[in-house]
């Protein structure tokens, strides 16, 4: 959400920012509605002042036992009441229309975000690890199918497309990945583990920016709850309508949860395998900070996500997204992209975003400094630490051998109860 007072002060900056995000200039409509609303609010204040003055005059007339004057003034009070009711209705209507426009506009990009309309404008920041061009390059679907541990047909029969059934050691490997990620983020990086709701109400989805613009990407129950597309929704909304002590920040939260996405905007993309599914597991990181802390916290969060890939010894690169490729709520985003041998390219496995005060304004999450009267909005950040299903794909493909066996990364050995290779009995 955007601050209407800031838009009044510098409308050109907002239109330029939205243009970078691929949105049309919106300030003329916003400022016109804002001007109408302020005029109505002025009329409302005058009507309220008039009613108060007339009510006081009625009191004086009655004290002077001038009933005729009091009766005449009573008619003015009724007229003022009607005027107040009408101005209040107009104010509410204009406020709702203004809110609808502002709620559909993306966050402004930070000053150091590169321009660009799509992923071709993204800027690679660094790489870690070196892909082996001579390594086996079967994709995870063929590997899992040959092992008899990955079944898309069974999932399709019970649930349709974009689901999978994992069995045996692959199911254990997926669980091991999630537990490993959660342990690193909580035991080494200072995140507090949370077990949050998977079903939330409209206001929670609105607070983190999924509603109203992206309803088609979500799953909704028949009684109005929404299945979370990411634990970012639950974790960030933990501070909705709260006033936080600045001295206690940053607040760092993490959760390993199932995530549910309709993938309505991804029709025809990644239909093979586990890259893009309706249900998947993810370790999410969320930070709540002061405005002064958020830039440094963003870099720290990216490092926390990179640590997982380094421990798993998976080649990856870190990319700064351009303005046109960022998510709706982000002011700056880094993506981590892991190497997939079967595709001979890097694919996104984590996205870490600084949202500034954009979400906090929607959620009414405020900060208060000890000894000061006023409050200000918090900054919120979120990032994947990591997407578990995509990590499973990356491990399978990068740790395969010529015979279709999959070695277990050293970091996961404590979680696999002595299993160091899946398919050890093959060949």
């Amino acid at each position: 959400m955007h601050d209407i007072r800031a838009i009044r002060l510098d409308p050109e900056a907002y239109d330029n920012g939205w243009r970078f995000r691929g949105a049309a200039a919106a300030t003329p409509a916003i400022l016109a509605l804002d001007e109408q609303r302020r005029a109505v609010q002025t009329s409302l204040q005058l009507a309220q002042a008039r009613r108060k003055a007339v009510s006081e005059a009625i009191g004086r007339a009655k004290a002077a036992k001038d009933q005729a004057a009091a009766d005449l003034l009573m008619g003015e009070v009724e007229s003022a009441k009607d005027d107040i009711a009408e101005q209040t209705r107009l104010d509410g209507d204009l406020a709702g229309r203004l809110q609808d426009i502002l709620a559909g506009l993306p966050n402004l990009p930070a000053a150091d975000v590169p321009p660009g309309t799509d992923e071709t404008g993204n800027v690679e920041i660094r790489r870690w690890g070196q892909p082996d061009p001579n390594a086996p390059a079967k994709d995870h679907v063929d590997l899992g199918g040959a092992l008899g541990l990955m079944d898309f047909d069974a999932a399709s029969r019970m649930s349709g497309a974009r689901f999978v059934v994992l069995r045996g050691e692959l199911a254990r490997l997926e669980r091991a990945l999630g537990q490993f990620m959660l342990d690193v983020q909580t035991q080494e990086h200072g995140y507090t583990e949370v077990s949050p709701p998977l079903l939330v109400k409209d206001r929670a989805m609105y607070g983190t920016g999924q509603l109203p613009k992206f309803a088609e990407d979500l799953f909704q129950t028949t009684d109005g709850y929404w299945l979370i597309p990411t634990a970012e929704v639950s974790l960030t909304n933990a501070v909705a309508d709260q006033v936080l002590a600045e001295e206690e920040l940053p607040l760092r939260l993490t959760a390993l949860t199932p995530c549910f996405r309709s993938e309505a905007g991804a029709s025809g993309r990644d239909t093979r395998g586990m890259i893009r599914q309706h249900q998947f597991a993810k370790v999410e990181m969320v930070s709540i900070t002061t405005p002064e802390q958020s830039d440094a916290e963003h870099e720290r969060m990216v490092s926390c996500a990179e640590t997982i890939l380094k421990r798993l010894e998976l080649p990856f690169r870190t990319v700064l997204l351009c303005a046109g490729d960022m998510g709706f709520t982000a002011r700056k985003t880094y993506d981590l992209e892991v190497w997939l041998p079967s595709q001979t390219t890097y694919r996104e496995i984590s996205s870490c975003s600084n949202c500034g005060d954009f979400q906090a304004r929607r959620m009414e999450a405020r900060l208060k400094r000890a000894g000061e009267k006023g409050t200000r909005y918090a900054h919120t950040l979120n990032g994947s630490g990591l997407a578990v299903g995509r990590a499973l794909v990356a491990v399978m493909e990068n740790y395969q051998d010529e015979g279709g066996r999959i070695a277990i990364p050293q970091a996961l050995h404590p979680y696999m109860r002595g299993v160091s290779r899946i398919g050890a009995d093959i060949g």
Side-chain angles (χ1 to χ4, degrees), residues 227-241:
L227 279 70
I228 60 169
T230 164
E232 170 201 342
V233 176
S234 304
L235 296 179
T236 311
N237 273 281
V239 299
D241 301 310

Side-chain angles (χ1 to χ4, degrees), residues 69-108:
D71 289 343
L72 185 63
L73 290 167
M74 287 289 288
E76 288 192 43
V77 168
E78 290 303 314
S79 175
K81 284 182 179 178
D82 290 343
D83 193 17
I84 288 169
E86 176 61 14
Q87 297 302 320
T88 300
R89 184 193 67 76
L90 285 173
D91 181 47
D93 177 63
L94 290 167
R97 289 163 62 189
L98 189 59
Q99 180 87 353
D100 287 345
I101 293 176
L102 291 173
L105 290 166
N107 203 350
L108 298 186

Side-chain angles (χ1 to χ4, degrees), residues 254-364:
T254 189
L256 168 59
T257 68
C259 304
F260 306 91
R261 299 184 185 179
S262 72
E263 298 293 352
S267 178
R269 293 176 57 198
D270 296 312
T271 55
R272 177 178 169 85
M274 291 181 62
I275 295 296
R276 197 178 297 276
Q277 297 206 294
H278 290 312
Q279 175 187 318
F280 58 95
K282 181 157 67 76
V283 171
E284 185 71 6
M285 304 175 291
V286 161
S287 295
I288 313 297
T289 77
T290 67
E292 295 79 11
Q293 295 167 332
S294 69
D295 286 342
E297 183 69 12
H298 192 199
E299 300 296 327
R300 181 188 187 277
M301 180 178 282
V302 174
S303 177
C304 292
E306 289 177 336
T307 297
I308 301 299
L309 291 169
K310 290 177 181 179
R311 297 280 181 84
L312 294 173
E313 301 181 72
L314 294 170
F316 70 93
R317 67 176 188 167
T318 302
V319 175
L320 175 62
L321 300 194
C322 69
D325 200 34
M326 291 194 301
F328 180 77
T329 62
R331 69 187 299 268
K332 183 176 181 179
T333 298
Y334 291 102
D335 273 5
L336 306 188
E337 299 178 349
V338 69
W339 177 257
L340 294 186
S342 68
Q343 300 183 20
T344 61
T345 192
Y346 292 92
R347 295 298 303 270
E348 178 199 337
I349 195 168
S350 172
S351 190
C352 297
S353 297
N354 185 346
C355 299
D357 64 4
F358 187 84
Q359 292 178 323
R361 288 181 179 277
R362 299 168 78 102
M363 297 186 304
E364 285 299 324

